[in-house]
Amino acid sequence: MSQEGDQDHSDRKKYEFRKVIEDLKNYEGSGTQLVTIYVPEDRQVSDVVAHVTQEHSEAANIKSKQTRTNVQDALTSIKDRLRYYDTYPPDNGMVLFSGAVDAGGGQTDMVTKVLESPPQPVESFRYHCDSDFLTEPLEEMLTDQGLYGLVVLDRREANVGWLKGKRIEPVKSASSLVPGKQRKGGQSAQRFARLRLEAIDNFYQEVAGMANDLFVPKRHELEGILVGGPSPTKEEFLDGDYLHHELQDSVIGKFDVSYTDESGLRELVDNAEDALADAEVMKDKREMEQFFKELNAGDLATYGFEQTRRNLVMGSVETLLISEDLRKDVVSYECAECGSTDREVIDRRHSTPGHECSDCGAEVATADAEREDAIEHLIEIAEQRGTEVKFISTDFEKGEQLYDAFGGFAGILRYSTGV
Ligand SMILES: [Zn+2]
C-alpha cells in the first residue's frame, strides 16, 4: 500500500475512534463502576486476565451492593472479551471499556467496547475504575501527529528531542565544561574571559551539532523547532546562527524555561502551547485558503455532499476537506419503481425521514432506505480513488465557513469536471 493510502486509512480510523470516544464520554456511572483498561502491545493477554481476576476479587470489598455487582459484571464482561485474543494484543495495543451506565429513570445499561490498534501505541498498562470512562489518553493519540524538534539549553547543559503528537521523546543530552564566572587566582582577567567565551562557543556548536544530526534528515517532515532556555542563552544560540540554515528557518519560537534537563523539554512544550496550537490551525488554514483560491479562480473546487461525492466517484478530487465538527448521516433511497437513487444528508440525532423519488415521484419506504455515516461514506470512496482526506477545525473563520456555508464537505480538484 502506498504511503498516501496508509494516511487515508489512518484518517478513517481516527474518525471512527473519535466517534466511539464521543459516545463513551457521554456515559456516566451512578457510582465508581466504569472500568477502563489500556493495554500496550507487549503486555501478555494472560497478564491482563490475571489483573482483571485480581480486581474482581478485590471488588468483593466494595460496600455498596449495587456498585459491587456493577464493577464485577464489568470485569466479567472484559474477561469474556479478552478470550478472543491470543498471547499478545494487536499492534499498538488496545483499550477496553466496560460498565453499567445511567440510562435514565434509575435504569442502567451495560456497555462494553474494545478499541484495537489505536493510531499511536498505548505506552503503559493502566487500570482505571471511576464514574466515567478514561478517554483522555486516546483523545491525545487522535490529535494530528505533528513532528517538532525540541532544544533546551543553558551554558551548562542541553537536551534535544522530539515532540510527536503529544508525546515528548528526549533523545540526546550534553553538558558543558564552561567555567563559572569566578576565575582562579593567578589567571589574567582577560585570558579568563576569552577562554570562557571560547568554551561557550564550543558548547553551542556541540548542541547545534546534536540538533542538526537529529533534525536535518527529518527537515521535510518537521512542522517546526522550539528552542527553550534562560535569557540570554537561547538568544545567543539562535542569533549566533549555530543551527543548520534550513533548521534556523523552522524555528517557530523561543521560550523561557527554568530547567534544561529532560523536564525542561516538557516545560518547553507547556510554554509553547499557544504557538503549537497556532501551527496546528495554520495547516488547516492553508488548506482552506487553497480551496477558496480555486473556488474564486474557477472550476477546481467543489462543495456540498452531493457534488463532492460525484467528483470523488469520478476520481477528480485531489484533497477532500471535511469539517471536524460535522455529525451527519446520509440516507440513500433506492426507488423500487424506477431504480434511481436519491441521497439525503441528515443530522445524526434525527430519525430517517420519508422520501419521494425525485425522478418519478414514487414514495420510497423508510424501511428500504440505507443509512450510514456521511463522513465514512465519502472517506470510503476517497480511499478507492487515492484522494487525500483532511479534517478541518472550526477554530478559524474559513474553517467555520466550511461547516456553515459549504455543508461541511468540500474538495480541491485535480482537473475540472463541470460538476
Ligand atoms: Zn423513482
Side-chain angles (χ1 to χ4, degrees):
M1 200 186 243
S2 72
Q3 225 177 348
E4 201 178 356
D6 283 343
Q7 187 54 46
D8 287 344
H9 180 72
S10 89
D11 277 326
R12 181 183 192 173
K13 184 145 211 174
K14 276 185 189 175
Y15 174 66
E16 284 165 5
F17 271 55
R18 217 179 284 154
K19 264 202 332 187
V20 174
I21 290 171
E22 257 172 44
D23 287 344
L24 290 170
K25 280 173 74 142
N26 288 330
Y27 294 135
E28 234 178 277
S30 53
T32 302
Q33 60 191 38
L34 304 188
V35 176
T36 311
I37 306 179
Y38 282 74
V39 187
E41 62 179 16
D42 60 355
R43 175 65 72 115
Q44 290 209 14
V45 173
S46 56
D47 273 7
V48 184
V49 172
H51 191 108
V52 171
T53 307
Q54 175 71 21
E55 292 289 347
H56 191 283
S57 69
E58 278 172 24
N61 301 321
I62 297 172
K63 284 218 176 72
S64 149
K65 178 174 181 289
Q66 199 199 348
T67 307
R68 181 171 65 237
T69 311
N70 285 338
V71 170
Q72 291 189 327
D73 285 354
L75 292 167
T76 304
S77 170
I78 285 176
K79 251 167 96 170
D80 285 347
R81 291 301 186 98
L82 287 169
R83 275 201 211 120
Y84 295 103
Y85 297 91
D86 294 332
T87 321
Y88 289 101
D91 289 348
N92 281 1
M94 62 180 171
V95 191
L96 303 111
F97 301 90
S98 184
V101 301
D102 289 343
Q107 301 291 102
T108 58
D109 270 342
M110 192 69 185
V111 169
T112 302
K113 293 242 187 257
V114 182
L115 289 179
E116 295 180 358
S117 299
Q120 288 179 52
V122 173
E123 282 179 12
S124 53
F125 180 84
R126 229 167 142 174
Y127 176 88
H128 184 90
C129 184
D130 207 336
S131 55
D132 39 29
F133 290 120
L134 179 69
T135 54
E136 286 81 5
L138 259 179
E139 287 172 72
E140 285 183 4
M141 292 179 195
L142 297 178
T143 57
D144 273 329
Q145 269 201 56
L147 180 69
Y148 294 87
L150 307 174
V151 182
V152 288
L153 80 165
D154 58 18
R155 286 169 177 175
R156 308 225 136 253
E157 185 186 35
N159 266 275
V160 298
W162 297 115
L163 173 64
K164 294 176 176 171
K166 299 239 163 165
R167 224 144 39 97
I168 295 169
E169 217 178 272
V171 181
K172 279 194 217 168
S173 63
S175 46
S176 81
L177 300 169
V178 175
K181 283 187 176 143
Q182 222 49 40
R183 72 189 155 108
K184 295 194 188 81
Q187 244 175 340
S188 88
Q190 228 180 353
R191 183 177 147 74
F192 175 77
R194 199 189 71 235
L195 286 175
R196 192 162 178 275
L197 283 178
E198 262 178 38
I200 291 172
D201 180 61
N202 284 338
F203 185 56
Y204 289 167
Q205 285 187 34
E206 187 189 344
V207 176
M210 285 197 314
N212 293 342
D213 288 349
L214 194 60
F215 303 152
V216 170
K218 295 263 184 191
R219 63 191 182 281
H220 299 299
E221 294 155 57
L222 267 185
E223 309 281 350
I225 294 173
L226 306 171
V227 178
S231 290
T233 315
K234 60 182 177 307
E235 285 78 10
E236 279 174 4
F237 179 70
L238 286 172
D239 297 344
D241 287 339
Y242 291 94
L243 283 175
H244 187 277
H245 65 276
E246 280 190 61
L247 298 183
Q248 197 84 24
D249 295 337
S250 309
V251 174
I252 58 172
K254 52 178 198 259
F255 303 88
D256 285 323
V257 298
S258 31
Y259 298 97
T260 50
D261 56 5
E262 285 187 14
S263 74
L265 295 176
R266 271 191 296 280
E267 203 189 344
L268 173 62
V269 171
D270 285 345
N271 294 346
E273 202 180 323
D274 289 345
L276 287 170
D278 287 349
E280 202 57 62
V281 172
M282 273 313 292
K283 283 192 286 179
D284 289 5
K285 275 189 180 161
R286 280 197 290 272
E287 296 290 348
M288 284 310 291
E289 265 151 29
Q290 170 81 5
F291 167 74
F292 275 98
K293 208 182 98 197
E294 299 300 352
L295 188 68
N296 294 328
D299 40 19
L300 291 184
T302 186
Y303 59 87
F305 182 85
E306 196 52 42
Q307 285 193 358
T308 304
R309 185 183 182 280
R310 268 194 263 167
N311 275 297
L312 273 174
V313 171
M314 281 188 249
S316 62
V317 182
E318 175 76 40
T319 311
L320 171 65
L321 306 169
I322 301 173
S323 176
E324 222 170 57
D325 288 1
L326 202 72
R327 302 291 176 263
K328 302 271 187 190
D329 285 342
V330 60
V331 187
S332 303
Y333 299 93
E334 199 189 320
C335 175
E337 297 295 322
C338 73
S340 78
T341 302
D342 291 336
R343 277 177 214 87
E344 220 174 294
V345 177
I346 59 170
D347 194 293
R348 185 165 300 154
R349 290 160 301 184
H350 295 170
S351 55
T352 308
H355 186 78
E356 228 171 64
C357 173
S358 64
D359 266 5
C360 72
E363 199 66 37
V364 184
T366 307
D368 296 337
E370 198 188 318
R371 179 169 176 159
E372 60 187 312
D373 184 294
I375 294 179
E376 277 173 23
H377 181 97
L378 291 190
I379 290 184
E380 199 172 312
I381 305 171
E383 276 177 359
Q384 292 161 1
R385 302 289 191 273
T387 297
E388 203 184 352
V389 181
K390 298 271 183 200
F391 282 94
I392 305 291
S393 88
T394 49
D395 294 344
F396 61 106
E397 202 192 330
K398 288 191 167 87
E400 255 178 67
Q401 276 178 294
L402 175 63
Y403 182 82
D404 293 334
F406 297 98
F409 296 105
I412 299 168
L413 303 185
R414 299 185 171 115
Y415 52 85
S416 165
T417 60
V419 173

